[in-house]
Amino acid sequence: MKSVSAVTFTTQGALRKSALRQANERLVLNAIRENPELSRVEISRITGLSPSSVTFIVKRLAKDKLIKESRVDMANYQVGRPPSILQLASGARFVVGVDITPLGSRVALADWTGTILETRAVEWDPNPEVLLRSLHTVIRALVTSKPAHRVLGVGVAVPGTWDMQARTVTNAVNLGWKDVAVAPMLEKGFDVPLYFDNNANLSALGERWFRSRGARSLENFVFVTLGGGIGTGIIISGNVLHGAFGRAGEFGHMILYPEGRRCLCGNIGCWEEYASDRALTRLYRERTGRAVTEMEVVSCAYKGEPAALECLDEAARCLALGLTSLIIGLNPEAIIVDNWCAAAWDLVEKRLWQVLRDRIPASWLEGVRLMPSAHAANAALFGAIALALTRYFHSFDHSEPHEARNFVQMGG
Ligand SMILES: [Zn+2]
């Protein structure tokens, strides 16, 4: 897969025959991916392709070992031949996901079903050039561990804003990066496409991509990431909201207390100074004199330590105050949280709802769900994997032409 444009279903005019064939194959593969244990008849119904086309495509995909076919249990079928059911063949295709954070980065090799096969850690280095060189070495090792044609792409998550054209991180406050040419440095020397986005956007994408299997897919929701500040990934009508210049979702820097604390961004009273992981650990340090991680605060709270419980309560209150603006302004069906809030879910859920109910008219809260991330500490990593997969399967939020420019493809 070297050309994304070749499978753009929305392309004006006639598609080349090979592109059409590839597009139909992807359509069938995506139907199988989204609906485990699908029969050929169901594929035809879902994709709109004729039964004979589906049979032809399925045969070719099976021959290429991209899908596996099995018969359903005979016991359930008294009359006639039982239909065969189809699944993506695990390990047939691969992607690499990269999650860059100030606490260290991770690079994962996953197959196209989203199963992570190998994860490697890369230590933080304050010099972006040094860090990116180390990351490049690891990415290259994982990409070249598989035959080139079986690696679909590399997805990269960074907690910062991107210049999509220059493929540069323009500002990552928590990394201390300004105008760092991330994509050009990571893409050197191997021939697979490289895609990138903000970590909060990708955390949202990962939830949507992997949660959708077998469950009702979320169309409008906000992923609130609380590690290293607060970022929000906003999915509207199934698409990641990037904004005019790729900077949408920086709700972490909305003002919660105008006369409050100085934020790393230079402004005063930002939401993330009150509800992020660093806000929680600072609260705990101020109350106990002890410097511990946010997960240690959570673990002390589960042991019943009053100071830890009070800090969680206060952080949850401030988190919910910020969420009120998101819920009132965006009308999401769900808010998904990660980091300390997901880890302390049983301790803080009630408090979050209490604040929301106090602050938001009941009719505006109707139908809204709050939930912890399905991916715990791996949300952005799964999102980076999902990004590379979305580009291959060509569905959901990255299929629209106006969004195509927001993603970099390498070696195309
Ligand atoms: Zn700020």
Side-chain angles (χ1 to χ4, degrees):
M1 205 278 288
K2 292 290 180 279
S3 171
V4 167
S5 60
V7 293
T8 299
F9 305 133
T10 47
T11 299
Q12 302 273 317
L15 287 165
R16 281 181 297 118
K17 202 173 171 188
S18 62
L20 189 63
R21 175 181 136 164
Q22 195 183 44
N24 286 339
E25 277 185 8
R26 296 273 164 89
L27 209 56
V28 170
L29 282 170
N30 196 44
I32 294 171
R33 181 193 72 77
E34 285 186 312
N35 306 275
E37 307 196 338
L38 212 54
S39 72
R40 290 180 193 203
V41 177
E42 288 163 330
I43 292 174
S44 176
R45 183 178 53 77
I46 289 171
T47 60
L49 293 167
S50 70
S52 60
S53 296
V54 170
T55 299
F56 181 73
I57 292 168
V58 162
K59 250 188 207 164
R60 200 165 54 212
L61 294 173
K63 186 168 159 264
D64 290 346
K65 295 190 170 59
L66 294 175
I67 56 173
K68 58 180 184 191
E69 241 180 322
S70 52
R71 295 275 164 203
V72 295
D73 193 353
M74 282 295 286
N76 298 328
Y77 279 80
Q78 266 79 35
V79 186
R81 205 163 70 114
S84 62
I85 51 174
L86 304 164
Q87 285 171 304
L88 291 185
S90 50
R93 293 288 183 269
F94 303 91
V95 294
V96 170
V98 184
D99 179 22
I100 300 177
T101 87
L103 300 173
S105 304
R106 282 168 311 154
V107 184
L109 177 73
D111 83 350
W112 65 348
T113 67
T115 305
I116 292 183
L117 307 167
E118 186 179 348
T119 308
R120 297 195 191 174
V122 175
E123 265 182 39
W124 170 249
D125 193 296
N127 181 336
E129 258 186 54
V130 174
L131 176 64
L132 291 170
R133 248 201 317 271
S134 306
L135 280 167
H136 181 261
T137 305
V138 175
I139 294 168
R140 192 189 175 101
L142 289 180
V143 165
T144 54
S145 71
K146 301 292 175 191
H149 73 283
R150 293 173 68 187
V151 183
L152 305 177
V154 177
V156 181
V158 173
T161 52
W162 288 85
D163 178 330
M164 298 296 184
Q165 304 297 330
R167 301 172 295 157
T168 292
V169 171
T170 50
N171 195 11
V173 172
N174 296 304
L175 301 180
W177 287 5
K178 264 198 188 308
D179 300 318
V180 178
V182 176
M185 287 176 76
L186 291 183
E187 70 187 10
K188 270 183 210 152
F190 47 85
D191 189 26
V192 295
L194 184 104
Y195 312 107
F196 54 78
D197 205 341
N198 170 279
N199 67 326
N201 290 346
L202 290 185
S203 295
L205 185 68
E207 290 285 338
R208 178 161 163 71
W209 186 256
F210 292 115
R211 229 185 240 264
S212 68
R213 287 185 301 187
R216 191 178 69 85
S217 173
L218 294 169
E219 290 287 322
N220 295 280
F221 69 96
V222 183
F223 190 104
V224 181
T225 177
L226 302 166
I230 295 182
T232 62
I234 302 165
I235 303 277
I236 300 287
S237 302
N239 294 322
V240 173
L241 182 74
H242 284 103
F245 307 104
R247 298 193 289 268
E250 291 294 331
F251 277 104
H253 300 285
M254 77 178 162
I255 310 302
L256 196 68
Y257 293 111
E259 315 298 332
R261 292 175 177 276
R262 171 89 51 193
C263 176
L264 291 179
C265 76
N267 210 336
I268 288 173
C270 295
W271 186 26
E272 69 175 43
E273 284 307 311
Y274 298 90
S276 63
D277 56 345
R278 72 166 181 269
L280 178 66
T281 54
R282 191 201 59 230
L283 274 172
Y284 189 76
R285 196 173 58 244
E286 287 171 355
R287 212 157 289 201
T288 65
R290 288 195 289 138
V292 298
T293 66
E294 73 280 8
M295 292 306 166
E296 285 167 322
V297 178
V298 172
S299 135
C300 288
Y302 271 113
K303 287 177 195 151
E305 189 193 291
L309 285 165
E310 282 165 31
C311 293
L312 274 185
D313 188 73
E314 173 60 7
R317 186 184 72 83
C318 293
L319 177 61
L321 283 177
L323 294 182
T324 58
S325 299
L326 268 66
I327 291 169
I328 291 169
L330 297 170
N331 188 26
E333 61 193 304
I335 300 275
I336 301 175
V337 295
D338 69 355
N339 202 268
W340 65 264
C341 191
W345 190 247
D346 297 337
L347 300 173
V348 298
E349 186 187 5
K350 252 194 204 152
R351 179 62 159 146
L352 294 171
W353 276 115
Q354 185 202 10
V355 176
L356 295 181
R357 290 200 182 98
D358 281 352
R359 301 275 173 166
I360 304 177
S363 61
W364 288 357
L365 257 188
E366 212 179 295
V368 179
R369 291 185 287 165
L370 288 185
M371 51 179 117
S373 167
H375 298 131
N378 292 321
L381 190 63
F382 271 107
I385 289 165
L387 177 61
L389 290 173
T390 55
R391 293 315 308 251
Y392 178 76
F393 286 104
H394 198 75
S395 64
F396 300 145
D397 47 326
H398 303 306
S399 58
E400 295 303 318
H402 76 273
E403 289 217 344
R405 66 187 165 85
N406 285 352
F407 294 89
V408 168
Q409 185 190 1
M410 186 187 84

